[in-house]
Amino acid sequence: MSNYLRVTTPVEGSDGKTRFHNVGVAFPQREGSRSKMKIKLHSLPINGELVLFEPNTSDDDGGDLTE
């Protein structure tokens, strides 16, 4: 597992496909910490839904994922 996760929100396109728009990153906390993750959002999802993914090397372009 990487040292962070990508935080995304699902958005349905006009073609009916769901795409995952990047809205932030999540970092696991240290062993023994009272919390499990720290999430930093760059924008707020208007649908109120967050989905976390491990980063891929092909995700460096900052593009959205398609389901």
Side-chain angles (χ1 to χ4, degrees), residues 4-62:
Y4 73 96
L5 296 171
R6 292 181 320 117
V7 178
T8 67
T9 188
V11 178
E12 186 172 333
S14 58
D15 58 0
K17 292 184 180 181
T18 300
R19 291 175 174 77
F20 293 90
H21 178 71
N22 293 316
V23 294
V25 293
F27 299 96
Q29 297 295 78
R30 293 185 192 130
E31 188 79 26
S33 178
R34 291 176 59 181
S35 63
K36 294 291 183 188
M37 292 233 149
K38 181 177 195 173
I39 298 173
K40 293 187 175 190
L41 297 177
H42 305 294
S43 61
L44 296 177
I46 57 174
N47 63 5
E49 191 172 348
L50 297 173
V51 181
L52 284 76
F53 290 99
E54 288 196 30
N56 297 336
T57 54
S58 62
D59 292 337
D60 291 338
D61 63 358

